[in-house]
């Protein structure tokens, strides 16, 4: 059946089916990750990002294609997880831009939207790498513009776009040597192709689809803020919502509602504004906002009632009077997994530890929620994982607070950076100090192989013990302590002063103690420190400074 136009209802079914198909094939996409270590989560990140986006449009079948695509893009933006999820969110922001203002669209409009998706994706990455999801969306956009010149049937357009995208995907091993060695295509590109094929399937067959729900959410852990008396809460209702509109004058809106409360945060992002304010008249705030556009995600909490409930708990624990928390100069957010590592970060002054890292990247919304919990002039985010840095930067763009991302890629880098903070120093000095300290930390880890493969010229079988220095597999063996010892030996040189080891939840503590004694004898000039990190998946995380 030919389709010369598609409307909002058809687009809704297309993206819902795409999300469902990606969720079904999520583990297949994960398996395409080059490294055999247990953090191959491209499929998981893309699926959770898009499932969150699709949940945002649930029940919008009757809306225009412009309205649905805008809401979908917003959901992807807030739900983005990992680098692949952030790039995917930018692709659909571009697609929404191309569909903006239309009730239904023709093939040339669809082609333009795909092209916009590529433009937005490339802008999101500082140093684009070809042979990745970026290459696939560019191939899709370029082919769509060429095909749409003669093809008016959108089904045929999408079919040919999928063919062109798949042809380019099959060429990715020639663009990236690591893909060729592992004999796989790019995982992110495959995820995007699955989405496109899901969209084509729904349009071609007339599927009516229902979205699934996000099943996994990282847990944000934070210190409990000190509270005062009910009488000290001047504005009692914490009011949060989004405004979806066009050409909103954010500054004018802020001035209008500023007199109605305090603790106000109003952030504008193109055609969507996020609002947070403490007010005694939330109805009036909402009334003013409703003049600007459609209100969504409205949440009003009675803080006086919450305070009374919290005080009941606090009073049972201690009869002492707790005073209201004042704004401090610095606040800290860090991402980590492992009870021991989380405790270390808290001891170093981290306000919010987001549970996440390998295999479980927090979303942009998770990071933004942590930012909103902290009452500080300047907030530092330490992602401690290269796959979380983009989501952290995206969260920074969505807040008015002074937030700085220190691009730590490992737990040891994050811990070392925190130890160098001077709470009395100016923010620029601390940023420079933390970045310098991070750069001087060499990180290694010991984990296990999740599949058979070959890496760095080494044959690897599923279950093998792997030693990694930074991102390179340097050791393959069967004994975690022997592999760990070999990795450390490769890292230590005449300039090394400190060796730090964090052992995981699957390692025997007594055996670790014996191992540390052996290391101290072997390296008498080294200060050897060992901590029970209780981290999953990684037997050891080490650093040499």
């Amino acid at each position: 059946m030919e389709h010369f136009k598609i409307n909002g209802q058809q687009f809704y079914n297309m993206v819902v089916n795409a999300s469902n198909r990606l969720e079904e094939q999520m583990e297949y996409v994960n398996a395409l990750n080059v490294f055999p270590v247990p953090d191959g989560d491209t499929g998981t990140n893309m699926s959770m990002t898009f499932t969150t986006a699709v949940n945002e449009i649930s029940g919008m079948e009757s809306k225009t294609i412009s309205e649905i695509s805008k809401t979908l893009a917003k959901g992807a933006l807030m739900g983005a997880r990992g680098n692949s999820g952030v790039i995917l969110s930018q692709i659909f922001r571009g697609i929404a831009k191309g569909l903006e203002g239309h009730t239904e669209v023709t093939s040339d409009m669809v082609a333009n939207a795909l092209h916009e998706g590529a433009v937005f994706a490339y802008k999101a990455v500082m140093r684009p790498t070809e042979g990745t999801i970026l290459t696939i969306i560019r191939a899709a956009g370029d082919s769509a513009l060429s095909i749409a010149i003669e093809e008016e049937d959108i089904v045929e357009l999408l079919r040919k776009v999928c063919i062109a995208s798949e042809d380019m995907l099959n060429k990715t091993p020639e663009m990236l040597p690591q893909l060729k060695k592992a004999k796989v295509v790019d995982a992110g590109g495959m995820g995007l192709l699955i989405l496109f094929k899901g969209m084509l399937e729904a349009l071609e067959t007339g599927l009516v689809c229902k979205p699934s729900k996000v099943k996994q959410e990282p847990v944000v852990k934070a210190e409990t803020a000190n509270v005062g008396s009910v009488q000290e809460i001047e504005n009692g209702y914490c009011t949060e919502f989004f405004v979806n509109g066009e050409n909103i004058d954010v500054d004018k809106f802020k001035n209008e509602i500023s007199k109605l409360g305090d603790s106000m945060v109003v952030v504008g992002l193109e055609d969507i504004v996020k609002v947070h304010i403490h007010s005694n008249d939330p109805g009036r705030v909402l009334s003013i906002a409703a003049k600007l556009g459609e209100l969504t995600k409205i949440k009003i909490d009675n803080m006086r009632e919450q305070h009374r409930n919290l005080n009941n708990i606090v009073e049972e624990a201690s009869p002492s009077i707790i005073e209201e928390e004042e704004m401090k100069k610095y606040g800290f957010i860090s991402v980590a997994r492992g009870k021991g590592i989380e405790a270390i970060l808290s001891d170093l002054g981290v306000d919010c530890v987001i549970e996440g890292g390998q295999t479980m990247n927090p979303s942009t919304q998770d990071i933004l929620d942590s930012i909103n919990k902290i009452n500080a002039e300047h907030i530092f985010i330490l992602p401690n994982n290269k796959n979380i840095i983009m989501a952290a930067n995206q969260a920074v763009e969505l807040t008015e607070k002074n937030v700085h991302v220190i691009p730590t890629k490992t737990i040891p880098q994050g811990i070392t950076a925190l130890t160098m903070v001077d709470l009395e120093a100016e923010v620029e000095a601390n940023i420079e100090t933390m970045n310098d300290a991070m750069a001087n930390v060499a990180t290694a880890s010991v984990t296990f192989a999740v599949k058979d493969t070959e890496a760095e010229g080494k044959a690897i079988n599923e279950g093998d013990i792997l030693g990694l220095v930074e991102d390179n597999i340097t050791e393959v063996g069967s004994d975690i302590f022997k592999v760990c010892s070999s990795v450390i030996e490769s890292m230590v040189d005449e300039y090394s002063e400190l060796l730090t080891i964090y052992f995981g939840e699957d390692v025997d503590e007594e055996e670790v103690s014996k191992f540390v004694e052996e290391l101290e004898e072997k390296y008498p000039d080294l200060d050897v420190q060992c901590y029970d990190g209780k981290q999953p998946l990684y037997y050891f995380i080490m650093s040499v400074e």
Side-chain angles (χ1 to χ4, degrees):
M1 180 179 176
E2 293 179 323
H3 289 82
F4 298 110
K5 291 183 179 181
I6 56 173
N7 56 29
Q9 185 172 19
Q10 290 168 312
F11 183 72
Y12 176 91
N13 288 317
M14 289 166 67
V15 294
V16 170
N17 189 59
S19 178
N20 294 343
R21 290 289 176 262
L22 182 56
E23 186 174 16
E24 292 169 1
Q25 299 182 64
M26 178 175 65
E27 291 305 327
Y28 168 65
V29 176
N30 283 341
L32 293 175
N33 281 273
V34 175
F35 263 27
V37 299
D39 61 354
D41 48 8
T42 299
T44 302
N45 284 336
M46 293 184 72
S47 179
M48 293 187 70
T49 297
F50 208 66
T51 302
T52 302
V54 165
N55 285 336
E56 284 292 312
I57 64 169
S58 181
M60 289 185 66
E61 299 97 317
S62 60
K63 299 292 185 179
T64 68
I65 195 168
S66 175
E67 292 171 315
I68 292 173
S69 64
K70 285 180 184 178
T71 305
L72 182 80
K74 183 194 76 174
L77 184 74
M78 304 306 291
R81 298 174 187 274
N83 293 346
S84 57
V86 172
I87 293 171
L88 184 64
S89 74
Q90 295 303 311
I91 289 172
F92 277 86
R93 278 186 73 186
I95 289 174
K97 185 70 175 176
L99 301 177
E100 188 176 15
H102 299 294
T103 302
E104 55 184 14
V105 292
T106 57
S107 65
D108 60 325
M109 295 175 183
V110 172
N112 180 62
L114 288 171
H115 175 70
E116 287 288 343
V119 171
F120 271 68
Y122 271 85
K123 284 181 179 178
V125 181
M126 186 174 295
R127 298 181 183 87
T129 300
E130 297 302 333
T132 64
I133 186 174
L134 294 173
T135 304
I136 308 310
I137 184 58
R138 179 170 53 79
D142 289 349
S143 63
L145 290 177
S146 177
I147 295 164
I149 295 173
E150 297 182 353
E151 184 59 73
E152 295 183 4
D153 183 0
I154 300 174
V155 167
E156 284 304 311
L157 172 76
L158 291 179
R159 180 179 289 114
K160 292 175 182 178
V161 165
C162 286
I163 291 171
S165 299
E166 190 161 13
D167 286 344
M168 185 60 74
L169 181 64
N170 290 331
K171 295 175 183 177
T172 56
E174 301 302 321
M175 302 178 194
L176 289 174
Q178 56 265 44
L179 295 177
K180 190 171 186 177
K181 285 183 181 178
K183 300 178 182 178
V184 295
V185 296
D186 179 67
M190 177 59 78
L192 185 61
L193 178 62
I194 290 170
L195 288 175
F196 286 160
K197 286 185 173 181
M199 294 173 72
L200 169 62
E201 178 189 28
L203 182 62
E204 188 174 23
T205 62
L207 285 176
V208 176
C209 306
K210 293 183 178 180
S212 60
K213 297 293 182 181
V214 175
K215 297 176 182 177
Q216 175 186 347
E217 285 293 336
V219 178
V220 177
K221 300 180 179 179
E223 297 289 333
T224 302
N226 292 338
V227 291
S229 67
V230 170
Q231 288 76 18
E232 291 173 348
I233 301 177
E234 184 176 348
N235 293 286
Y237 296 95
C238 176
T239 307
E240 295 180 297
F241 56 92
F242 285 90
V243 186
N244 294 318
E246 294 182 2
N247 301 318
I248 298 173
D249 189 333
V250 177
D251 290 334
K252 181 180 178 181
F253 173 60
K254 286 165 63 176
N255 289 333
E256 284 189 79
I257 67 170
S258 62
K259 62 191 76 172
L260 299 178
D262 56 27
S263 299
M264 183 181 71
V265 178
V266 179
V267 182
L269 180 65
E270 295 176 347
D271 52 4
I272 181 171
V273 176
K274 183 174 183 178
V275 182
H276 171 280
I277 187 171
H278 294 174
S279 175
N280 282 328
D281 193 352
R284 190 173 175 194
V285 174
L286 295 174
S287 178
I288 293 172
K291 297 175 183 178
L292 305 177
E294 183 178 346
L295 306 186
T296 63
K297 292 289 187 76
I298 299 172
K299 180 173 174 284
I300 300 174
D301 291 322
N302 185 334
M303 294 189 297
R304 295 187 179 97
E305 181 180 31
Q306 290 177 336
H307 178 278
R308 283 189 290 267
N309 292 337
L310 180 58
N311 262 359
N312 288 337
I313 297 171
V314 172
E315 286 168 6
E316 289 177 7
S318 172
S320 61
I321 299 174
I322 301 175
E323 296 181 356
E324 186 175 0
E325 180 185 34
E326 295 182 359
M327 177 178 283
K328 55 186 179 179
K329 186 170 183 176
Y330 293 119
F332 301 90
I333 297 168
S334 190
V335 182
R337 291 188 75 184
K339 300 291 185 182
I341 290 174
E342 291 173 12
I344 291 170
L345 291 169
S346 295
D347 289 344
L348 289 172
V350 173
D351 301 272
C352 288
V353 179
I354 304 175
E355 186 179 355
Q358 307 291 43
T359 77
M360 193 171 74
N361 298 151
S363 68
T364 300
Q365 183 68 65
D366 293 325
I367 298 170
L368 190 61
D369 288 343
S370 293
I371 292 171
N372 291 334
K373 289 176 183 290
I374 298 176
N375 186 24
E377 293 178 35
H378 295 278
I379 299 172
F380 291 105
I381 302 176
L382 296 95
N384 301 333
N385 186 300
K386 66 180 181 180
N387 208 30
I388 300 174
I389 295 172
M390 286 185 72
N393 286 327
Q394 190 155 272
V396 171
E397 295 177 5
L398 297 170
T399 181
E400 286 189 335
K401 293 187 176 182
N402 297 315
V403 183
H404 316 275
V405 177
I406 305 299
T408 53
K409 297 180 181 179
T410 66
I411 292 295
Q413 282 187 346
I415 289 174
T416 298
L418 283 166
T419 63
M420 300 303 294
V421 172
D422 181 352
L423 297 179
E424 301 301 320
E426 294 300 317
V427 65
E428 293 80 8
N430 271 321
I431 291 172
E432 183 177 354
T433 299
M434 293 171 81
N435 278 303
D436 288 345
M438 173 190 76
N440 290 324
V441 179
T443 303
S445 57
V446 177
T447 185
F448 57 92
V450 296
K451 64 180 180 180
D452 297 343
T453 187
E454 180 181 324
E456 309 296 335
K458 300 176 177 65
I460 296 171
N461 298 313
E462 182 179 346
D464 281 349
I465 304 303
L466 306 178
L468 295 88
V469 177
E470 306 300 349
D471 289 331
N472 300 313
I473 298 174
T474 61
E475 300 292 333
V476 180
S478 57
D479 184 284
I480 62 173
F481 291 99
K482 288 181 180 178
V483 169
C484 186
S485 180
S486 296
V487 169
I488 291 171
E489 186 173 352
S490 72
M491 296 172 68
V492 172
D493 59 29
E494 58 182 313
Y495 303 106
S496 301
E497 298 177 351
L498 173 65
L499 168 63
T500 308
I501 301 172
Y502 306 89
F503 63 93
E505 61 185 5
D506 296 322
V507 186
D508 183 81
E509 190 167 354
E510 289 186 10
E511 292 184 11
V512 172
S513 296
K514 294 177 183 177
F515 179 59
V516 170
E517 289 178 6
E518 293 172 2
L519 290 173
E520 288 174 333
E521 291 181 10
K522 186 175 181 178
Y523 304 105
D525 296 330
L526 267 185
D527 180 9
V528 181
Q529 299 181 359
C530 185
Y531 301 95
D532 184 1
K534 293 184 172 64
Q535 70 271 9
L537 305 177
Y538 284 75
Y539 303 114
F540 297 105
I541 298 173
M542 304 92 73
S543 65
V544 174
E545 301 175 53

